[in-house]
Amino acid sequence: MAEISRLPRPIATLWEWQNSGACRTLPTGMFFHPDGERGPSRHKRENAAKVICASCPVIQQCRAHALNVQEPYGIWGGLTEDERLMILEKGRKIPHAS
C-alpha cells in the first residue's frame, strides 16, 4: 500500500493532470499486474502500458507523483515498480549539496 502521509493535500488542482492521462479510459489491468503474473506475459503487458505512457501528455506529472508517494504497484509515468525503486534507491545514495 502507498504511504499516504506523502500524498499532497486533497486540492483539486493538484490532481487535475490525471484527467488528461492517456490511460484514463483504458482498463486498469493494462497497468497493474494480476496476482502471480510473471515472465513473458508480465513483460508484454508492461511494454504495452509503456507504449501508452510514451504518448501521454502528462507523463512527467504522473512519474513525479509515483516517485513522490512511492507508488508500490503498477506502471506510472512509463516506469515499472522495479524501475521506480531503482530511481528511489539511487536518490538515497546521492549526497546532498550544501
Side-chain angles (χ1 to χ4, degrees), residues 53-71:
C53 294
S55 67
C56 184
V58 294
I59 189 172
Q60 294 303 325
Q61 295 95 320
C62 183
R63 183 175 290 175
H65 161 78
L67 292 169
N68 286 334
V69 302
Q70 298 178 20
E71 287 288 353

Side-chain angles (χ1 to χ4, degrees), residues 71-92:
E71 287 288 353
Y73 304 108
I75 304 294
W76 288 82
L79 299 173
T80 65
E81 300 154 7
D82 291 338
E83 291 166 339
R84 289 192 306 276
L85 186 59
M86 284 181 5
I87 290 169
L88 292 169
E89 287 297 321
K90 283 182 184 177
R92 290 185 188 125

Side-chain angles (χ1 to χ4, degrees), residues 12-79:
T13 56
L14 294 176
W15 300 95
E16 285 179 358
W17 62 267
Q18 292 181 352
N19 292 327
S20 300
C23 62
R24 184 157 172 80
T25 60
L26 298 173
T28 57
M30 288 184 70
F31 300 89
F32 296 91
H33 65 82
D35 288 340
E37 181 189 51
R38 288 190 280 227
S41 62
R42 184 170 184 155
H43 187 68
K44 182 178 177 180
R45 181 193 48 76
E46 289 175 341
N47 286 338
K50 287 180 173 190
V51 168
I52 302 298
C53 294
S55 67
C56 184
V58 294
I59 189 172
Q60 294 303 325
Q61 295 95 320
C62 183
R63 183 175 290 175
H65 161 78
L67 292 169
N68 286 334
V69 302
Q70 298 178 20
E71 287 288 353
Y73 304 108
I75 304 294
W76 288 82
L79 299 173

